[in-house]
Amino acid sequence: MSTPNISTLIDISHTITVYVGITIFVVGIIGGLLNVIVFLGLRTFRENSCAFYLIIMSFINIGNLMTGLLSRILISGFQLDWTIISPFYCKFRWYGLQFCVLTSFTCTSLAAIDQYISTSVRRQLRQWSNIKTAHRLTIIFIIIWLLHGILYLIYFDLIQSPTTGSVVCDTNNIIFRQYHMYGHIIILQCVLPLTVTSVFGLLARHNVKKLAHQTIPIVQRCLDKQLTIMVLNQLFYNFIFTLPYTILTILTLFLTNVKDPAIIRMLDFANVMTILLYYLSFACPFYIYISASERFRQQLIYVLFDIYLKRWRRPEIATNQIAPFPQENP
């Protein structure tokens, strides 16, 4: 590939990062906020364990877009890389990234597991699907990923790249670098959540078909069907959004000795495309829900217009009416 073509590829990559990245960011923030509004606006969702996981996931996804995608837009699109200026931001960005990504995928996995449990034909198993258990599991995993991030605060720092000679935010520790690539990115971020959600999602789908034969209240039955449909559709699109990034990450592990600048730029371009696709898994849950569930669309309209809009409106004062004065006793 000639030098002009490489420069063109770089320009295209920057342009796509700016325009597509900003679109994903704005759409994702709006969708995440609407998710939170709907889930917190209805008591049915607030008291449901699966919905609780989706609420936490929505908050975390907003944080992930602000921590990860926004900084990537600034780095790739505007060449504003604060990670090579401030050692603190270098460490904090990776700390926030790993926490948000792992917590989000954990909540998705717990939601899939919870739907399998809540739709099970076994009564003893269904008892584990409750809001108290959801609170405890969420707190436990949040603490685990907060502690896990300490490794990034320790090992990530501003170092000189051995290939380019420029300052980069990375780690010099070979063992931790291997763990970061194989353990964190491939296993914890991709393979493990995709496997767990796929298995329990399919099991929940199988259970939903048998709900009509169970002695479960109609309201609970409808809610289980709705949440299962929403979660299954999210799992399907998460698989599509994250698989290309996983494949490319594994591929680059075997191409570490490549010196051809054309191949390097092509890999960088592919990396930008797959990362933007990857961030769709954090930006699109709300839009997946409204597309998959008619009931969720109705709940969205009800919460926005019948609850919050009426609450924001000022009480109207009737005109041409005089308030009656209390009559005095003779």
Side-chain angles (χ1 to χ4, degrees):
M1 184 179 289
S2 61
T3 303
N5 289 335
I6 294 177
S7 301
T8 303
L9 193 63
I10 295 174
D11 293 337
I12 293 173
S13 176
H14 290 169
T15 303
I16 292 176
T17 301
V18 172
Y19 291 102
V20 177
I22 291 176
T23 302
I24 294 174
F25 177 78
V26 174
V27 169
I29 294 296
I30 294 173
L33 292 175
L34 289 174
N35 259 348
V36 172
I37 290 172
V38 175
F39 286 131
L40 292 180
L42 295 175
R43 184 178 179 182
T44 305
F45 286 136
R46 292 197 302 268
E47 297 179 350
N48 182 272
S49 52
C50 179
F52 175 78
Y53 295 129
L54 299 183
I55 293 171
I56 301 299
M57 181 203 68
S58 299
F59 278 113
I60 295 297
N61 285 350
I62 293 174
N64 194 20
L65 293 173
M66 297 183 68
T67 305
L69 181 57
L70 183 59
S71 61
R72 176 161 292 277
I73 294 171
L74 295 175
I75 293 171
S76 300
F78 299 96
Q79 287 74 53
L80 297 175
D81 192 354
W82 294 333
T83 60
I84 62 175
I85 299 175
S86 169
F88 171 78
Y89 186 75
C90 166
K91 295 173 178 291
F92 175 78
R93 181 175 182 268
W94 276 108
Y95 182 86
L97 275 175
Q98 67 85 32
F99 171 75
C100 290
V101 171
L102 294 179
T103 304
S104 177
F105 284 148
T106 299
C107 288
T108 308
S109 301
L110 291 174
I113 296 172
D114 184 83
Q115 278 308 105
Y116 161 70
I117 293 174
S118 65
T119 57
S120 174
V121 295
R122 298 174 58 185
R123 193 177 206 178
Q124 294 178 344
L125 191 60
R126 290 202 305 268
Q127 293 176 353
W128 287 96
S129 176
N130 59 77
I131 196 67
K132 290 184 179 180
T133 302
H135 289 168
R136 291 168 183 170
L137 288 176
T138 302
I139 292 173
I140 290 172
F141 278 105
I142 285 177
I143 293 174
I144 289 174
W145 300 137
L146 286 174
L147 295 176
H148 176 266
I150 295 176
L151 296 172
Y152 288 84
L153 295 177
I154 295 174
Y155 291 110
F156 265 72
D157 208 338
L158 299 183
I159 63 173
Q160 188 174 14
S161 173
T163 55
T164 62
S166 58
V167 176
V168 295
C169 177
D170 207 335
T171 177
N172 275 326
N173 190 289
I174 298 176
I175 296 177
F176 184 72
R177 185 192 298 273
Q178 295 295 321
Y179 167 76
H180 172 68
M181 293 300 297
Y182 292 98
H184 175 66
I185 294 181
I186 295 179
I187 302 298
L188 293 180
Q189 284 194 18
C190 299
V191 176
L192 188 60
L194 287 178
T195 302
V196 172
T197 53
S198 298
V199 171
F200 284 97
L202 292 175
L203 290 174
R205 182 175 179 272
H206 176 72
N207 288 342
V208 166
K209 295 180 180 180
K210 300 180 180 180
L211 283 179
H213 305 288
Q214 299 183 31
T215 56
I216 300 175
I218 296 178
V219 175
Q220 182 63 36
R221 189 182 304 170
C222 293
L223 181 61
D224 283 335
K225 288 183 178 180
Q226 177 192 0
L227 289 174
T228 302
I229 291 173
M230 291 165 55
V231 170
L232 282 176
N233 277 271
Q234 182 181 348
L235 300 183
F236 173 75
Y237 285 103
N238 279 0
F239 182 82
I240 295 176
F241 295 150
T242 58
L243 186 61
Y245 175 71
T246 306
I247 295 174
L248 184 64
T249 301
I250 296 174
L251 181 64
T252 53
L253 293 176
F254 298 96
L255 299 175
T256 53
N257 296 324
V258 174
K259 303 298 182 182
D260 188 346
I263 297 178
I264 293 175
R265 290 302 177 186
M266 291 177 66
L267 288 174
D268 289 341
F269 179 77
N271 186 53
V272 169
M273 297 298 101
T274 55
I275 286 178
L276 290 175
L277 187 65
Y278 180 78
Y279 274 106
L280 286 176
S281 60
F282 308 107
C284 288
F286 168 77
Y287 307 98
I288 294 172
Y289 299 157
I290 61 174
S291 300
S293 174
E294 181 181 358
R295 189 181 181 190
F296 189 78
R297 294 193 293 269
Q298 296 171 350
Q299 289 165 335
L300 171 66
I301 296 172
Y302 172 76
V303 170
L304 292 180
F305 294 99
D306 291 353
I307 296 180
Y308 289 106
L309 188 60
K310 289 182 178 179
R311 192 177 295 174
W312 292 333
R313 286 177 178 174
R314 293 181 179 178
E316 298 180 358
I317 301 176
T319 57
N320 299 326
Q321 292 185 6
I322 301 176
F325 290 95
Q327 296 181 355
E328 295 182 357
N329 293 328

